[in-house]
């Protein structure tokens, strides 16, 4: 097994694994007469329509001579036509023929069948994890701008374990907090699940790229007071406005549920969260030496009238 300390080996191992899964190294891709490069050219020509060969070469990063030989063979087999460009006679325009479109249809069908077979043993949750991981790879290694669209949704079964796990892991990493804090979070979540009043309590998960990146809970403290709890935002999702949106949704729900006041408890170390609270209308009330959360940090009490 590779580790994060050996990223080159890890990437190479993943590449070998994935190419083996898709059998891209066989002489004929997807049991067709075409190599991986030839199939990619056919796919590009189908989606682009009539295409300048120089543009095709640049987009696929192919050697000019290699591409020319493939296109010459395709033309001989009746898969493409080549003609001088209308704007520059020194350049060629390449177009798939009807036979070329049939070749594309075969490749497309078999590619879909291959991926469906690959995904068939997986559960819906595992498919979501897989596609989210693929999105992450494309985001980090690709040249396209980062997609900042996110989803805010009510928490559902399976999310609560994630909330506990990520609170424990993230705060251990960022502040050195130990198992006591994770136990505190587990208690909060368990109490919410056992006594949940859907009319006056709610919890939300923020998703980015299909993966959870944030959480927040609105719980009943007394008949007139709601409490904001378990605000979390992954480092990868910070700076996108998600944290402010989570707080806004929590406060909005509390108002609609009929509460007249909302409170929260945090620690002296949560500077970024404090800015969100202040912007939403919360006011700092006091700071004490208590350690009810098991963090060892001084605790703060904030409140706002609704």
């Amino acid at each position: 097994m590779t580790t994060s300390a050996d990223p080159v080996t890890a990437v190479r191992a993943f590449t070998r694994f994935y190419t083996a899964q898709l059998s891209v190294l066989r002489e004929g891709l997807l049991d067709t007469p075409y190599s991986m490069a030839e199939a990619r050219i056919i796919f590009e020509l189908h989606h682009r329509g009539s295409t300048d060969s120089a543009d095709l070469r640049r987009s696929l990063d192919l050697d000019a001579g290699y591409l020319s030989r493939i296109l010459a063979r395709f033309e001989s087999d009746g898969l493409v036509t080549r003609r001088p460009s209308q704007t520059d006679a020194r350049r060629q325009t390449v177009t798939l023929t009807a036979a070329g479109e049939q070749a594309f249809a075969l490749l497309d069908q078999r590619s879909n069948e291959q991926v469906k077979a690959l995904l068939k043993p997986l559960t819906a949750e595992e498919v979501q994890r897989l596609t989210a991981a693929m999105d992450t790879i494309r985001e980090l290694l690709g040249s396209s701008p980062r997609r900042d669209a996110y989803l805010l949704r009510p928490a559902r079964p399976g999310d609560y374990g994630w909330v506990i796990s990520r609170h424990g892991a993230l705060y251990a990493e960022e502040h050195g907090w130990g198992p006591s804090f994770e136990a505190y979070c587990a208690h909060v979540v368990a109490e919410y699940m056992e006594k949940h009043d859907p009319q006056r309590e709610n919890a939300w998960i923020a998703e980015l790229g299909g993966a959870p990146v944030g959480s927040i809970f609105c719980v009943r403290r007394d008949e007139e007071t709601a409490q904001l709890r378990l605000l979390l935002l992954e480092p990868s999702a910070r700076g996108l406005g998600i944290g402010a949106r989570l707080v806004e949704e929590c406060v909005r729900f509390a108002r609609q549920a009929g509460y007249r006041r909302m409170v929260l408890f945090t620690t002296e170390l949560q500077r970024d969260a404090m800015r969100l609270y202040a912007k939403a209308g919360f006011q700092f009330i006091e700071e004490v030496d208590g350690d009810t959360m098991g963090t060892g940090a001084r605790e703060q009490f904030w409140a706002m009238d609704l």
Side-chain angles (χ1 to χ4, degrees):
M1 178 181 292
T2 58
T3 68
S4 57
D6 188 15
V8 173
T9 302
V11 171
R12 292 183 63 187
F14 173 77
T15 301
R16 291 194 300 272
F17 165 79
Y18 192 62
T19 53
Q21 288 291 308
L22 296 183
S23 304
V24 298
L25 300 181
R26 291 181 183 175
E27 184 174 349
L29 182 68
L30 300 169
D31 295 321
T32 69
Y34 311 110
S35 67
M36 181 66 176
E38 291 169 341
R40 190 75 175 89
I41 291 169
I42 292 172
F43 271 85
E44 284 294 318
L45 289 174
H46 168 80
H47 290 290
R48 288 167 173 257
S50 296
T51 304
D52 188 296
S53 60
D55 292 338
L56 185 64
R57 176 183 61 80
R58 281 192 295 270
S59 66
L60 296 179
D61 193 25
L62 293 175
D63 175 78
Y66 180 51
L67 175 61
S68 180
R69 290 191 295 274
I70 291 176
L71 292 178
R73 186 166 69 255
F74 280 179
E75 186 175 36
S76 176
D77 292 342
L79 301 180
V80 303
T81 59
R82 293 190 292 176
R83 64 179 185 277
S85 169
Q86 294 182 349
T87 58
D88 187 343
R90 296 169 298 177
R91 301 165 74 95
Q92 285 188 332
T93 298
V94 186
T95 308
L96 281 182
T97 63
E101 291 291 350
Q102 289 177 359
F104 163 78
L106 176 64
L107 285 163
D108 192 49
Q109 176 189 349
R110 292 188 179 176
S111 182
N112 285 337
E113 291 172 351
Q114 182 190 50
V115 173
K116 287 178 181 178
L118 194 66
L119 299 180
K120 187 175 181 180
L122 305 182
T123 65
E125 180 183 355
E126 288 170 335
V127 170
Q128 184 181 46
R129 287 175 54 201
L130 177 68
T131 55
M134 289 176 169
D135 284 343
T136 300
I137 292 172
R138 292 175 61 189
E139 176 185 308
L140 295 176
L141 298 183
S143 58
S144 58
R146 176 176 176 170
R147 295 180 296 110
D148 293 340
Y150 61 88
L151 170 69
L152 204 64
R153 60 168 176 79
R156 57 195 182 212
D159 289 327
Y160 302 106
W162 177 86
V163 171
I164 298 168
S165 172
R166 290 309 298 151
H167 269 81
L170 188 58
Y171 284 104
E173 179 182 342
E174 294 189 342
H175 301 299
W177 295 351
S180 295
F181 176 68
E182 188 168 354
Y184 167 81
C185 296
H187 174 74
V188 172
V189 171
E191 187 176 45
Y192 172 86
M193 296 177 72
E194 291 169 0
K195 302 178 181 180
H196 179 218
D197 177 358
Q199 300 302 316
R200 309 207 75 195
E201 297 181 312
N202 211 341
W204 298 266
I205 297 294
E207 287 187 353
L208 185 64
V213 294
S215 68
I216 198 167
F217 285 58
C218 177
V219 302
R220 177 187 179 277
R221 188 166 179 83
D222 59 44
E223 277 302 312
E224 294 191 346
T225 309
Q227 183 173 349
L228 184 156
R229 309 194 83 168
L230 298 175
L231 172 65
L232 175 86
L233 194 61
E234 295 281 4
S236 61
R238 293 171 187 172
L240 303 178
I242 300 176
R245 182 69 184 87
L246 283 165
V247 174
E248 176 188 346
E249 185 65 19
C250 193
V251 172
R252 182 198 64 78
F253 176 85
R255 285 197 178 103
Q256 290 187 345
Y259 293 107
R260 300 181 63 183
R261 191 168 186 248
M262 191 166 204
V263 300
L264 66 89
F265 296 87
T266 186
T267 80
E268 60 183 329
L269 302 179
Q270 271 59 67
R271 301 297 180 186
D272 290 340
M274 290 177 199
R275 284 190 283 272
L276 293 178
Y277 300 146
K279 187 174 181 180
F282 285 92
Q283 293 183 335
F284 169 75
I285 304 300
E286 64 176 340
E287 184 173 280
V288 298
D289 287 327
D291 192 18
T292 58
M293 303 182 197
T295 67
R298 287 176 61 83
E299 295 177 357
Q300 294 187 354
F301 174 61
W302 291 61
M304 71 181 296
D305 292 331
L306 300 174

